[in-house]
Amino acid sequence: MIKAGIVGGTGYTGVELLRILATHPQVEVACITSRTEAGMAVADMYTNLRGYYDLAFTEPDVEVLAQCDLVFFATPHGVAMRMAPELLARGVRIVDLSADFRIKDLDVWARWYGMPHDTAEWAEKAVYGLPEVARDAIRNAELVANPGCYPTAVQLGFLPLLENGLVRTGHLVADAKSGASGAGRQGKIGMLHGEVGESFKAYGASGHRHLPEIRQGLEQAAGGKVGISFVPHLVPMVRGIEATLYAELDNPADFDRLQGLFEDRYRDEPFVDVMPFGSHPETRSVRGENSCRMALHRQEDSPIVIVSSVIDNLVKGAAGQAVQNMNIMFGLDERAGLQAPALLP
Amino acid sequence: MIKAGIVGGTGYTGVELLRILATHPQVEVACITSRTEAGMAVADMYTNLRGYYDLAFTEPDVEVLAQCDLVFFATPHGVAMRMAPELLARGVRIVDLSADFRIKDLDVWARWYGMPHDTAEWAEKAVYGLPEVARDAIRNAELVANPGCYPTAVQLGFLPLLENGLVRTGHLVADAKSGASGAGRQGKIGMLHGEVGESFKAYGASGHRHLPEIRQGLEQAAGGKVGISFVPHLVPMVRGIEATLYAELDNPADFDRLQGLFEDRYRDEPFVDVMPFGSHPETRSVRGENSCRMALHRQEDSPIVIVSSVIDNLVKGAAGQAVQNMNIMFGLDERAGLQAPALLP
Amino acid sequence: MIKAGIVGGTGYTGVELLRILATHPQVEVACITSRTEAGMAVADMYTNLRGYYDLAFTEPDVEVLAQCDLVFFATPHGVAMRMAPELLARGVRIVDLSADFRIKDLDVWARWYGMPHDTAEWAEKAVYGLPEVARDAIRNAELVANPGCYPTAVQLGFLPLLENGLVRTGHLVADAKSGASGAGRQGKIGMLHGEVGESFKAYGASGHRHLPEIRQGLEQAAGGKVGISFVPHLVPMVRGIEATLYAELDNPADFDRLQGLFEDRYRDEPFVDVMPFGSHPETRSVRGENSCRMALHRQEDSPIVIVSSVIDNLVKGAAGQAVQNMNIMFGLDERAGLQAPALLP
Amino acid sequence: MIKAGIVGGTGYTGVELLRILATHPQVEVACITSRTEAGMAVADMYTNLRGYYDLAFTEPDVEVLAQCDLVFFATPHGVAMRMAPELLARGVRIVDLSADFRIKDLDVWARWYGMPHDTAEWAEKAVYGLPEVARDAIRNAELVANPGCYPTAVQLGFLPLLENGLVRTGHLVADAKSGASGAGRQGKIGMLHGEVGESFKAYGASGHRHLPEIRQGLEQAAGGKVGISFVPHLVPMVRGIEATLYAELDNPADFDRLQGLFEDRYRDEPFVDVMPFGSHPETRSVRGENSCRMALHRQEDSPIVIVSSVIDNLVKGAAGQAVQNMNIMFGLDERAGLQAPALLP
């Protein structure tokens, strides 16, 4: 059994890690930390876990965490950056669900996250954990930077187009929508049910932290500069992300081979599902599940290819992808702990 | 592997059976029928099942169903009544999720369901499948009448009080609330999102079909007549039932031992969770899970005991309990296929 | 024009007062205070008011408030108690939407609200502002204690039964459900969309602050002691309260005259609507509107009368009723500013 | 008093017309028709109207409708086309909320609506009723084609850019999202709460009927061909549309004057609100209100201008705009009946 630790377990990604790992056949959660809730049983905070865990939250303690084979960081940015190096030095492997190691250009990171980055060495060594792109590197990684939720949905949808150089990369559009759990579990007025319920809005439309992360991934795939407009929106639901992507084909004749190309690209991927051309993926079709489902569209004879891509922001967009990365790192079946259909309806 | 068939698979209980059975280690779904959707792949209708099933809906065919070890009926009332006898005669065991065999008094049944009951023999032989009451009978049952959703939540909450003769049985109150999936998947205007969203109401307050079923179960537990007011309500959510139950203790001094008594009653039950006194069970704590969670309350020095009981209407209130019954009938681990925490948030 | 002031305007009852008063033909909002948001334009915080108000929040200032004809307190409990006496002394009339002056027994108040009550004189003089009960007293009141949301829905539903001595008053049941706006606009984790969405639960089932307020009103109507169980629940919607009430008729033959009796009781009330026997009032039928709609039910030959009563918690349950009280106090048309149908769907 | 008739009053636009007209000082609803519900009181179907209307639905009767000064058609497409000519011939003015007269190119209309158009004469004479573009023509119009919901939000957001020739018109993107009431009030399985709740998806991504209507309006504003991708999405809420629009500025330096240009364009418009640069309009800020609120965004130094535009699909997107058009046609105050703030929260 792999011994896993979780740092910062009181948020939604923390409870989601516990939910998924509860049925993982080869992993045992050895400890889960929370400064604010130390001493509280996890099943008292998250009653869905009653009967599944006897564990209580503890103060973060490097000595205890160092006993683990792997530690998940489910913390706000800035925490993993400080705590990870010592654990890594002691041989603990890490999947960081926060943003600390996702961006390679540390000036960019510092500008978007409002603090200096103080572990350049590990930022460089960290593997950006999108398995569909970096599976081999993840296998041997000491430190995996688990992708953000929007970046996962957006990159997976654009990848086949960019990798094959089929679209004009100057003016991509990613119009993305997320349920409220994406904002985490903090007592912000703007995220009250009374504020979010029965309403819809864009946010971060002048610039969101996931923009540089998305651009970095797309530029790597395209092998050059990419111009992208990314606007996230808040949906009055709990879970789910849908991203509608727009790109102009260099050669509209390529429309004929797009579907095949997407299917080929993801044929061997256990967690990407290319639906028939013209389908409309629903977020509920991946609720609680680690998949990304997507479908392609064309309007009349337009040269614009439209991709609709959906994930569960807490699963393929966070905890599920983290477990997928762990499975890869430890040579387990990549689907271990992740093999149950989504909850629909 | 047990070969299971599902009759009437296009509704919410049908897809929920498929979802649960997809991870059941000892069951294979051999066929699923639908008159209206024959020929359609189940994964085309329910996209959460893509990658889990190759099955298509077929016309109901007794010859095919007769090959199964067990057939689930997930049909409107009136169907199982007609089709079950022949299958039973050919040795197929049945779990009927409809109301056809739940009520022993067939005059009562006929009055509430608006048609005569034409299989008195099987109505008598059928075992009412509430495992917490009838586990031994279920083990050997040929035909199990799977309880209704409200009756499950209400009976489990009242049982320890009635079995021990602690409360006045003349004026029980069960105020129950359900998500919209409880109404099934038919195109009724009243169940449109535009009608149900952002609103709350009682319905069936002058008499609902689950009232006689509840009363039958409570009277069996009490060993005598029971007077109960039961009012269901429609909650603008998809899944979940909460029932708040009110009963007057004969002897208010019994309050001191109620918590212990409930805990003892359900200690060995894998799917009933008695929470600490004064807790407030949330429907999301059982979303997608087969459990019933409940908690007790007292207001000041009132003689009224209040029980709040929650289930997922599609799981412990339908498909999950049906699988639990199947597990019991076939001597499997009662939790097989049912061991994953609820999806919270 | 009547000059109105609002103290504590940043919460949901504050914005609702502004929304309603925006169309009131005889009232002008002269000032609105907020310690935390002083200087901010109300239309910047509440964008629905853009184009309707030029007003900004100001620090509460007795000199300014004393210029008003009437001041609404939309504050947490404890504030009006401290600020009201001076304003009252200077001739300003007050409608207090908080709980400070609702309970006549100050020991009871102190126990439920966790602080001593320090203005016994005004607690005694205050008129409990349920117009359907106390219209004449409201007319001349200096200080009106605006009823709580649940107490409004529950009292209006029970009143005709209790005033006429038709039911056993020992064991009334009020099972009530509210949208999330009832919890106010504070950054509490438990009220996040991620916590409230797609879930349902009871809360305060062992005792809620509205219990003593409800009991006081019912005992006044009954002319004696009343035993009542009151359980509130949280519905995943923004606005609306539904209360399902259960009472045992002393004489079940009275069922024949109940409908007429309710209709007579409320015939002249502009904001109470008795629907046909057996109806199911929906909260959306009063969304944004000042009405209470209710309907009666009986199950088979049971002696229990069931009343379902709905209001908008922010309107008839708060700001709308406050405006109705103001209209009465100033001799205006009681419906002024309150004459638009609810928003359905 | 203007006598208004409504044909097809049982849908959501019908009830919304009634809600708005209930407070209109100069209009009386003389009749409302419904083939399916003839004889039923409108207040029985729409309980929010109890106390506001004594009217019952009647069979559509040209003789009765011909007594009206104005008739609103709130019918599926194909109905107004057949019934309008006779009424128009008898001097009745018409606001058609359906799509029958919105598209000038009848071949395009026939292709998208799946039937031939048989009143070319009136299709030509009809005025497309977007007051911000065609106020003068509306004033004298006999027949106004009330714009679709998406087209209203999208056109108003793009107009200032196109009218001033500031953007490349080849590849506009309009990513739009709507609440479920936009689909009308028919018993379709796909619009059940159980299907729509807690989920999000695109629909019509390969081509939606509002695409040609949008294109027609944008081309008129641009004075030439426009290429636009339009993808609608379904939001789990009842009311509201948000459209996020993307266009590339020919000259990025124009960003400096965009805000002023938008404000100037709409300064005298009573129902368009240009919010400060960088704002995020919420659909709830216009719930029940006739306004379109919008705001501009730029991401870093991108040449793409982003506009977020919100309306209530049933008000500015349907019934409210229809009343605005009626007010213009009859020389009334354009805001009559439309002057109440949105319901927030």
Side-chain angles (χ1 to χ4, degrees), chain C residues 131-299:
Chain C
E132 292 77 9
V133 171
R135 185 170 282 109
D136 287 340
I138 293 165
R139 242 186 277 282
N140 303 305
E142 293 169 274
L143 168 60
V144 166
N146 210 57
C149 50
Y150 287 123
T152 296
V154 173
Q155 289 177 78
L156 290 175
F158 272 131
L159 279 183
L161 298 172
L162 296 176
E163 289 170 348
N164 291 281
L166 301 181
V167 295
R168 303 196 174 170
T169 54
H171 298 306
L172 305 177
V173 170
D175 192 284
K177 304 87 179 176
S178 175
S181 63
R185 193 171 163 278
Q186 293 121 41
K188 301 182 213 156
I189 285 179
M191 297 309 296
L192 292 177
H193 187 277
E195 301 291 300
V196 172
E198 267 296 296
S199 194
F200 185 90
K201 65 168 183 178
Y203 67 98
S206 294
H208 182 280
R209 283 169 173 170
H210 284 174
L211 177 55
E213 181 182 342
I214 290 169
R215 190 157 43 204
Q216 170 183 281
L218 299 186
E219 293 188 339
Q220 186 190 319
K225 280 287 174 200
V226 161
I228 178 160
S229 301
F230 165 63
V231 180
H233 300 74
L234 181 58
V235 184
M237 63 182 184
V238 178
R239 286 175 182 244
I241 281 180
E242 191 270 351
T244 304
L245 313 176
Y246 304 82
E248 186 184 357
L249 283 183
D250 263 324
N251 179 0
D254 284 331
F255 252 114
D256 295 342
R257 61 193 189 93
L258 279 191
Q259 180 70 17
L261 189 141
F262 270 69
E263 290 178 3
D264 288 348
R265 173 63 177 83
Y266 292 124
R267 190 174 312 281
D268 298 329
E269 286 300 336
F271 295 114
V272 180
D273 176 23
V274 179
M275 298 177 74
F277 196 93
S279 300
H280 294 106
E282 304 175 89
T283 61
R284 64 177 187 157
S285 80
V286 293
R287 178 162 45 214
E289 223 256 18
N290 195 48
S291 290
C292 174
R293 289 193 209 283
M294 63 181 70
L296 298 167
H297 288 267
R298 183 185 197 178
Q299 297 186 349

Side-chain angles (χ1 to χ4, degrees), chain C residues 103-123:
Chain C
I103 308 271
K104 294 299 176 187
D105 183 330
L106 298 187
D107 291 336
V108 169
W109 192 91
R111 194 165 74 244
W112 285 91
Y113 288 91
M115 58 171 70
H117 199 292
D118 54 14
T119 42
E121 177 201 347
W122 282 108

Side-chain angles (χ1 to χ4, degrees), chain B residues 168-198:
Chain B
R168 304 194 174 171
T169 54
H171 298 306
L172 305 177
V173 171
D175 192 284
K177 303 90 179 175
S178 175
S181 62
R185 191 171 165 280
Q186 294 120 41
K188 300 182 214 156
I189 286 180
M191 298 308 296
L192 293 176
H193 187 277
E195 300 292 298
V196 173
E198 266 298 295

Side-chain angles (χ1 to χ4, degrees), chain C residues 12 15-16 18-19 22-23 46-50 52 181 193 198 238-239 273-276 282 284-285 287-289 293 314 335 338-345, chain D residues 12 15-16 18-19 22-23 46-50 52 181 193 198 238-239 273-276 282 284-285 287-289 293 314 335 338-345:
Chain C
Y12 290 140
V15 62
E16 192 68 357
L18 290 173
R19 182 184 73 84
T23 63
Y46 294 116
T47 48
N48 62 323
L49 301 177
R50 287 173 61 89
Y52 291 95
S181 63
H193 187 277
E198 267 296 296
V238 178
R239 286 175 182 244
D273 176 23
V274 179
M275 298 177 74
E282 304 175 89
R284 64 177 187 157
S285 80
R287 178 162 45 214
E289 223 256 18
R293 289 193 209 283
L314 296 180
R335 296 192 56 170
L338 298 168
Q339 304 200 57
L343 200 67
L344 177 160
Chain D
Y12 291 140
V15 61
E16 191 69 357
L18 290 173
R19 182 184 73 82
T23 63
Y46 294 116
T47 49
N48 62 324
L49 301 177
R50 285 173 62 88
Y52 291 94
S181 61
H193 187 277
E198 267 297 296
V238 178
R239 285 175 183 244
D273 175 24
V274 179
M275 299 178 73
E282 304 175 90
R284 64 178 187 156
S285 79
R287 178 164 44 216
E289 224 257 17
R293 289 191 209 284
L314 295 179
R335 297 193 55 172
L338 298 168
Q339 305 200 56
L343 200 67
L344 177 162

